[in-house]
PDB file of all heavy atoms in Angstrom:
ATOM      1  N   ALA A  45      92.926  86.363  92.361  1.00  0.00           N
ATOM      2  CA  ALA A  45      91.538  86.618  91.983  1.00  0.00           C
ATOM      3  C   ALA A  45      90.640  85.475  92.438  1.00  0.00           C
ATOM      4  O   ALA A  45      89.552  85.688  92.962  1.00  0.00           O
ATOM      5  CB  ALA A  45      91.435  86.814  90.471  1.00  0.00           C
ATOM      6  N   LYS A  46      91.125  84.236  92.256  1.00  0.00           N
ATOM      7  CA  LYS A  46      90.335  83.078  92.681  1.00  0.00           C
ATOM      8  C   LYS A  46      90.162  83.050  94.198  1.00  0.00           C
ATOM      9  O   LYS A  46      89.063  82.864  94.709  1.00  0.00           O
ATOM     10  CB  LYS A  46      91.031  81.774  92.242  1.00  0.00           C
ATOM     11  CG  LYS A  46      90.454  81.193  90.967  1.00  0.00           C
ATOM     12  CD  LYS A  46      91.068  79.839  90.668  1.00  0.00           C
ATOM     13  CE  LYS A  46      92.468  80.022  90.099  1.00  0.00           C
ATOM     14  NZ  LYS A  46      93.105  78.830  89.581  1.00  0.00           N
ATOM     15  N   ALA A  47      91.260  83.241  94.897  1.00  0.00           N
ATOM     16  CA  ALA A  47      91.214  83.200  96.354  1.00  0.00           C
ATOM     17  C   ALA A  47      90.371  84.342  96.903  1.00  0.00           C
ATOM     18  O   ALA A  47      89.628  84.166  97.863  1.00  0.00           O
ATOM     19  CB  ALA A  47      92.636  83.253  96.917  1.00  0.00           C
ATOM     20  N   ALA A  48      90.477  85.516  96.276  1.00  0.00           N
ATOM     21  CA  ALA A  48      89.744  86.684  96.754  1.00  0.00           C
ATOM     22  C   ALA A  48      88.243  86.499  96.596  1.00  0.00           C
ATOM     23  O   ALA A  48      87.466  86.915  97.451  1.00  0.00           O
ATOM     24  CB  ALA A  48      90.205  87.934  96.000  1.00  0.00           C
ATOM     25  N   ARG A  49      87.837  85.848  95.506  1.00  0.00           N
ATOM     26  CA  ARG A  49      86.401  85.617  95.311  1.00  0.00           C
ATOM     27  C   ARG A  49      85.832  84.854  96.486  1.00  0.00           C
ATOM     28  O   ARG A  49      84.717  85.103  96.923  1.00  0.00           O
ATOM     29  CB  ARG A  49      86.151  84.839  94.010  1.00  0.00           C
ATOM     30  CG  ARG A  49      85.894  85.752  92.834  1.00  0.00           C
ATOM     31  CD  ARG A  49      85.236  85.023  91.684  1.00  0.00           C
ATOM     32  NE  ARG A  49      86.125  84.034  91.079  1.00  0.00           N
ATOM     33  CZ  ARG A  49      87.062  84.314  90.194  1.00  0.00           C
ATOM     34  NH1 ARG A  49      87.265  85.557  89.802  1.00  0.00           N
ATOM     35  NH2 ARG A  49      87.808  83.355  89.692  1.00  0.00           N
ATOM     36  N   ALA A  50      86.601  83.914  97.003  1.00  0.00           N
ATOM     37  CA  ALA A  50      86.129  83.104  98.118  1.00  0.00           C
ATOM     38  C   ALA A  50      86.202  83.867  99.440  1.00  0.00           C
ATOM     39  O   ALA A  50      85.428  83.601 100.341  1.00  0.00           O
ATOM     40  CB  ALA A  50      86.956  81.822  98.210  1.00  0.00           C
ATOM     41  N   ALA A  51      87.124  84.817  99.548  1.00  0.00           N
ATOM     42  CA  ALA A  51      87.446  85.380 100.855  1.00  0.00           C
ATOM     43  C   ALA A  51      86.833  86.743 101.145  1.00  0.00           C
ATOM     44  O   ALA A  51      86.766  87.138 102.292  1.00  0.00           O
ATOM     45  CB  ALA A  51      88.970  85.469 101.010  1.00  0.00           C
ATOM     46  N   MET A  52      86.406  87.490 100.133  1.00  0.00           N
ATOM     47  CA  MET A  52      85.997  88.860 100.437  1.00  0.00           C
ATOM     48  C   MET A  52      84.827  89.364  99.610  1.00  0.00           C
ATOM     49  O   MET A  52      84.411  88.741  98.649  1.00  0.00           O
ATOM     50  CB  MET A  52      87.188  89.818 100.337  1.00  0.00           C
ATOM     51  CG  MET A  52      87.864  89.876  98.990  1.00  0.00           C
ATOM     52  SD  MET A  52      89.253  91.055  98.963  1.00  0.00           S
ATOM     53  CE  MET A  52      90.612  90.075  99.544  1.00  0.00           C
ATOM     54  N   SER A  53      84.311  90.507 100.047  1.00  0.00           N
ATOM     55  CA  SER A  53      83.182  91.150  99.386  1.00  0.00           C
ATOM     56  C   SER A  53      83.593  91.667  98.015  1.00  0.00           C
ATOM     57  O   SER A  53      84.778  91.756  97.694  1.00  0.00           O
ATOM     58  CB  SER A  53      82.715  92.336 100.233  1.00  0.00           C
ATOM     59  OG  SER A  53      83.710  93.356 100.196  1.00  0.00           O
ATOM     60  N   GLU A  54      82.584  92.048  97.240  1.00  0.00           N
ATOM     61  CA  GLU A  54      82.844  92.599  95.914  1.00  0.00           C
ATOM     62  C   GLU A  54      83.713  93.851  96.001  1.00  0.00           C
ATOM     63  O   GLU A  54      84.658  94.014  95.225  1.00  0.00           O
ATOM     64  CB  GLU A  54      81.511  92.928  95.235  1.00  0.00           C
ATOM     65  CG  GLU A  54      81.657  93.235  93.760  1.00  0.00           C
ATOM     66  CD  GLU A  54      80.306  93.461  93.086  1.00  0.00           C
ATOM     67  OE1 GLU A  54      79.306  92.873  93.526  1.00  0.00           O
ATOM     68  OE2 GLU A  54      80.285  94.248  92.121  1.00  0.00           O
ATOM     69  N   ASP A  55      83.408  94.732  96.957  1.00  0.00           N
ATOM     70  CA  ASP A  55      84.217  95.942  97.135  1.00  0.00           C
ATOM     71  C   ASP A  55      85.657  95.578  97.487  1.00  0.00           C
ATOM     72  O   ASP A  55      86.598  96.183  96.991  1.00  0.00           O
ATOM     73  CB  ASP A  55      83.634  96.823  98.243  1.00  0.00           C
ATOM     74  CG  ASP A  55      82.429  97.629  97.763  1.00  0.00           C
ATOM     75  OD1 ASP A  55      82.184  97.669  96.538  1.00  0.00           O
ATOM     76  OD2 ASP A  55      81.738  98.212  98.615  1.00  0.00           O
ATOM     77  N   GLY A  56      85.794  94.576  98.347  1.00  0.00           N
ATOM     78  CA  GLY A  56      87.124  94.140  98.746  1.00  0.00           C
ATOM     79  C   GLY A  56      87.924  93.609  97.571  1.00  0.00           C
ATOM     80  O   GLY A  56      89.104  93.924  97.409  1.00  0.00           O
ATOM     81  N   ARG A  57      87.254  92.810  96.748  1.00  0.00           N
ATOM     82  CA  ARG A  57      87.918  92.260  95.552  1.00  0.00           C
ATOM     83  C   ARG A  57      88.366  93.389  94.639  1.00  0.00           C
ATOM     84  O   ARG A  57      89.462  93.388  94.104  1.00  0.00           O
ATOM     85  CB  ARG A  57      86.980  91.331  94.792  1.00  0.00           C
ATOM     86  CG  ARG A  57      86.798  89.994  95.454  1.00  0.00           C
ATOM     87  CD  ARG A  57      86.257  88.977  94.478  1.00  0.00           C
ATOM     88  NE  ARG A  57      85.008  89.363  93.844  1.00  0.00           N
ATOM     89  CZ  ARG A  57      83.814  89.159  94.374  1.00  0.00           C
ATOM     90  NH1 ARG A  57      83.684  88.584  95.545  1.00  0.00           N
ATOM     91  NH2 ARG A  57      82.730  89.516  93.727  1.00  0.00           N
ATOM     92  N   ARG A  58      87.454  94.352  94.465  1.00  0.00           N
ATOM     93  CA  ARG A  58      87.757  95.478  93.590  1.00  0.00           C
ATOM     94  C   ARG A  58      88.995  96.219  94.106  1.00  0.00           C
ATOM     95  O   ARG A  58      89.890  96.556  93.336  1.00  0.00           O
ATOM     96  CB  ARG A  58      86.554  96.432  93.579  1.00  0.00           C
ATOM     97  CG  ARG A  58      86.343  97.075  92.253  1.00  0.00           C
ATOM     98  CD  ARG A  58      85.054  97.870  92.236  1.00  0.00           C
ATOM     99  NE  ARG A  58      83.906  97.031  91.974  1.00  0.00           N
ATOM    100  CZ  ARG A  58      82.678  97.268  92.438  1.00  0.00           C
ATOM    101  NH1 ARG A  58      82.448  98.306  93.215  1.00  0.00           N
ATOM    102  NH2 ARG A  58      81.688  96.478  92.138  1.00  0.00           N
ATOM    103  N   LEU A  59      89.036  96.439  95.422  1.00  0.00           N
ATOM    104  CA  LEU A  59      90.189  97.118  96.016  1.00  0.00           C
ATOM    105  C   LEU A  59      91.472  96.351  95.741  1.00  0.00           C
ATOM    106  O   LEU A  59      92.495  96.940  95.407  1.00  0.00           O
ATOM    107  CB  LEU A  59      90.014  97.212  97.545  1.00  0.00           C
ATOM    108  CG  LEU A  59      89.275  98.395  98.117  1.00  0.00           C
ATOM    109  CD1 LEU A  59      89.293  98.313  99.637  1.00  0.00           C
ATOM    110  CD2 LEU A  59      89.867  99.705  97.657  1.00  0.00           C
ATOM    111  N   MET A  60      91.407  95.030  95.895  1.00  0.00           N
ATOM    112  CA  MET A  60      92.605  94.230  95.729  1.00  0.00           C
ATOM    113  C   MET A  60      93.080  94.262  94.276  1.00  0.00           C
ATOM    114  O   MET A  60      94.260  94.440  94.001  1.00  0.00           O
ATOM    115  CB  MET A  60      92.363  92.790  96.180  1.00  0.00           C
ATOM    116  CG  MET A  60      93.668  92.060  96.434  1.00  0.00           C
ATOM    117  SD  MET A  60      93.432  90.386  97.031  1.00  0.00           S
ATOM    118  CE  MET A  60      93.219  89.546  95.478  1.00  0.00           C
ATOM    119  N   VAL A  61      92.141  94.108  93.345  1.00  0.00           N
ATOM    120  CA  VAL A  61      92.489  94.115  91.917  1.00  0.00           C
ATOM    121  C   VAL A  61      93.067  95.470  91.523  1.00  0.00           C
ATOM    122  O   VAL A  61      94.105  95.546  90.868  1.00  0.00           O
ATOM    123  CB  VAL A  61      91.257  93.757  91.054  1.00  0.00           C
ATOM    124  CG1 VAL A  61      91.540  94.010  89.578  1.00  0.00           C
ATOM    125  CG2 VAL A  61      90.867  92.302  91.278  1.00  0.00           C
ATOM    126  N   TRP A  62      92.394  96.548  91.961  1.00  0.00           N
ATOM    127  CA  TRP A  62      92.895  97.880  91.636  1.00  0.00           C
ATOM    128  C   TRP A  62      94.272  98.090  92.245  1.00  0.00           C
ATOM    129  O   TRP A  62      95.138  98.706  91.636  1.00  0.00           O
ATOM    130  CB  TRP A  62      91.931  98.948  92.133  1.00  0.00           C
ATOM    131  CG  TRP A  62      90.652  99.027  91.339  1.00  0.00           C
ATOM    132  CD1 TRP A  62      90.405  98.451  90.122  1.00  0.00           C
ATOM    133  CD2 TRP A  62      89.460  99.710  91.706  1.00  0.00           C
ATOM    134  NE1 TRP A  62      89.123  98.748  89.726  1.00  0.00           N
ATOM    135  CE2 TRP A  62      88.522  99.509  90.668  1.00  0.00           C
ATOM    136  CE3 TRP A  62      89.092 100.467  92.817  1.00  0.00           C
ATOM    137  CZ2 TRP A  62      87.252 100.063  90.710  1.00  0.00           C
ATOM    138  CZ3 TRP A  62      87.821 101.013  92.862  1.00  0.00           C
ATOM    139  CH2 TRP A  62      86.905 100.813  91.816  1.00  0.00           C
ATOM    140  N   GLY A  63      94.467  97.574  93.449  1.00  0.00           N
ATOM    141  CA  GLY A  63      95.765  97.695  94.100  1.00  0.00           C
ATOM    142  C   GLY A  63      96.848  97.001  93.298  1.00  0.00           C
ATOM    143  O   GLY A  63      97.962  97.503  93.153  1.00  0.00           O
ATOM    144  N   MET A  64      96.517  95.830  92.753  1.00  0.00           N
ATOM    145  CA  MET A  64      97.478  95.084  91.944  1.00  0.00           C
ATOM    146  C   MET A  64      97.774  95.813  90.644  1.00  0.00           C
ATOM    147  O   MET A  64      98.911  95.841  90.181  1.00  0.00           O
ATOM    148  CB  MET A  64      96.934  93.686  91.604  1.00  0.00           C
ATOM    149  CG  MET A  64      97.029  92.714  92.728  1.00  0.00           C
ATOM    150  SD  MET A  64      96.436  91.115  92.122  1.00  0.00           S
ATOM    151  CE  MET A  64      96.378  90.207  93.659  1.00  0.00           C
ATOM    152  N   GLU A  65      96.727  96.400  90.043  1.00  0.00           N
ATOM    153  CA  GLU A  65      96.923  97.116  88.786  1.00  0.00           C
ATOM    154  C   GLU A  65      97.723  98.390  89.024  1.00  0.00           C
ATOM    155  O   GLU A  65      98.473  98.836  88.160  1.00  0.00           O
ATOM    156  CB  GLU A  65      95.569  97.445  88.147  1.00  0.00           C
ATOM    157  CG  GLU A  65      94.870  96.197  87.632  1.00  0.00           C
ATOM    158  CD  GLU A  65      93.441  96.479  87.191  1.00  0.00           C
ATOM    159  OE1 GLU A  65      92.929  97.588  87.398  1.00  0.00           O
ATOM    160  OE2 GLU A  65      92.825  95.543  86.642  1.00  0.00           O
ATOM    161  N   GLY A  66      97.532  98.966  90.205  1.00  0.00           N
ATOM    162  CA  GLY A  66      98.339 100.110  90.609  1.00  0.00           C
ATOM    163  C   GLY A  66      98.028 101.410  89.894  1.00  0.00           C
ATOM    164  O   GLY A  66      98.829 102.333  89.923  1.00  0.00           O
ATOM    165  N   ASN A  67      96.855 101.516  89.266  1.00  0.00           N
ATOM    166  CA  ASN A  67      96.587 102.729  88.481  1.00  0.00           C
ATOM    167  C   ASN A  67      95.233 103.369  88.814  1.00  0.00           C
ATOM    168  O   ASN A  67      94.734 104.169  88.056  1.00  0.00           O
ATOM    169  CB  ASN A  67      96.648 102.418  86.981  1.00  0.00           C
ATOM    170  CG  ASN A  67      95.628 101.360  86.574  1.00  0.00           C
ATOM    171  OD1 ASN A  67      94.907 100.838  87.418  1.00  0.00           O
ATOM    172  ND2 ASN A  67      95.576 101.044  85.308  1.00  0.00           N
ATOM    173  N   LYS A  68      94.648 103.006  89.937  1.00  0.00           N
ATOM    174  CA  LYS A  68      93.308 103.525  90.250  1.00  0.00           C
ATOM    175  C   LYS A  68      93.281 104.155  91.639  1.00  0.00           C
ATOM    176  O   LYS A  68      92.382 103.894  92.422  1.00  0.00           O
ATOM    177  CB  LYS A  68      92.283 102.387  90.183  1.00  0.00           C
ATOM    178  CG  LYS A  68      92.213 101.728  88.834  1.00  0.00           C
ATOM    179  CD  LYS A  68      90.793 101.550  88.379  1.00  0.00           C
ATOM    180  CE  LYS A  68      90.781 100.961  86.979  1.00  0.00           C
ATOM    181  NZ  LYS A  68      89.469 100.753  86.458  1.00  0.00           N
TER     182      LYS A  68
END
Side-chain angles (χ1 to χ4, degrees):
K46 261 186 283 189
R49 267 198 293 279
M52 60 179 87
S53 69
E54 192 176 330
D55 281 349
R57 285 199 304 275
R58 215 173 277 150
L59 272 183
M60 198 178 85
V61 170
W62 288 346
M64 283 183 189
E65 290 171 353
N67 60 358
K68 300 226 177 180

